């Protein structure tokens, strides 16, 4: 029996791309309150595999980014945002081969972790109600984990991005 490392890249690894970026032009015009220091982006499939891949990647990137907060809390925030994007962020009109999400993790000058999940659906009805928990519990749980949640439309292309900003250090939840 061969180990996964000996078998070569899996289909999941071929469908994801990790892009280290410094200087952050992708964040221009979408202020976090403080300039971004470093960020990494990953493309995810637009299906349930995205949850597993995003959790594993976030654990690793929390360490790579030297974020001083609770990485498990960041993993939970990412999982909620990715789950919402898989459930609600992919219009049925998008061909299956084009379905993907983008997960970006960044740190800003204050040490906060900035989490962006971009999907292909620009619609987010009643965003404030969703954050309050009146339209599901995903975004409400993200705020209960200590994140500030916002959303914005991209300058180019379709879709939207939901952003969660987690402060450094432990947070009472």
């Amino acid at each position: 029996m061969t180990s996964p490392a000996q078998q070569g890249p899996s289909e999941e690894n071929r469908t994801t791309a990790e892009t280290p970026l410094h200087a952050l032009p992708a964040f221009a015009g979408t202020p976090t309150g403080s300039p971004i220091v470093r960020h990494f982006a990953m493309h995810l499939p637009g299906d349930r595999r995205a949850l597993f891949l995003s959790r594993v990647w976030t654990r690793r990137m929390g360490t790579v980014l030297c974020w001083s907060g609770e990485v498990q809390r960041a993993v939970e925030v990412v999982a909620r945002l990715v789950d919402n994007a898989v459930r609600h962020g992919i219009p049925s009109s998008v061909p299956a081969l084009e379905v993907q999400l983008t997960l970006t993790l960044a740190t800003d000058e204050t040490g906060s972790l900035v989490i962006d999940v971009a999907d292909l659906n620009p619609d987010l009805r009643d965003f404030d109600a969703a954050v309050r928990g009146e339209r599901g519990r995903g975004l409400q749980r993200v705020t209960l984990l200590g994140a500030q949640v916002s959303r914005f439309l991209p300058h180019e292309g379709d879709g939207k991005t939901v952003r969660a900003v987690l402060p450094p250090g432990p947070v009472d939840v």
Side-chain angles (χ1 to χ4, degrees), residues 147-161:
Q148 291 181 310
V149 183
S150 60
R151 53 61 171 106
F152 57 91
L153 298 175
H155 296 296
E156 297 177 7
D158 296 327
K160 70 177 167 308
T161 300

Side-chain angles (χ1 to χ4, degrees), residues 4-144:
Q6 294 170 330
Q7 294 174 357
S10 69
E11 181 179 320
E12 290 174 346
N13 289 337
R14 287 191 302 262
T15 61
T16 61
E18 191 173 300
T19 309
L21 298 171
H22 308 283
L24 297 137
F27 282 77
T30 55
T32 64
S34 185
I36 296 295
V37 176
R38 284 180 81 188
H39 90 261
F40 293 89
M42 175 184 193
H43 294 291
L44 297 166
D47 57 33
R48 304 307 294 170
R49 294 176 298 155
L51 288 170
F52 173 76
L53 294 169
S54 67
R55 284 176 174 272
V56 171
W57 189 76
T58 300
R59 279 187 195 96
R60 189 175 77 193
M61 287 298 108
T63 303
V64 169
L65 287 167
C66 300
W67 183 55
S68 63
E70 298 170 23
V71 173
Q72 186 55 40
R73 187 166 45 102
V75 169
E76 277 304 308
V77 168
V78 166
R80 299 287 177 160
L81 295 179
V82 169
D83 182 56
N84 275 354
V86 168
R87 290 175 187 249
H88 310 294
I90 302 168
S92 59
S93 61
V94 176
L97 293 175
E98 295 178 22
V99 173
Q100 75 174 9
L101 308 171
T102 303
L103 168 61
T104 305
L105 297 179
T107 52
D108 67 13
E109 284 185 346
T110 68
S112 293
L113 183 68
V114 180
I115 303 164
D116 283 352
V117 177
D119 61 40
L120 302 171
N121 187 355
D123 187 31
L124 184 56
R125 290 183 211 141
D126 301 326
F127 178 78
D128 294 328
V131 171
R132 290 190 304 269
E134 297 167 6
R135 293 184 50 92
R137 299 283 184 247
L139 292 180
Q140 180 189 37
R141 181 66 182 145
V142 169
T143 62
L144 292 174

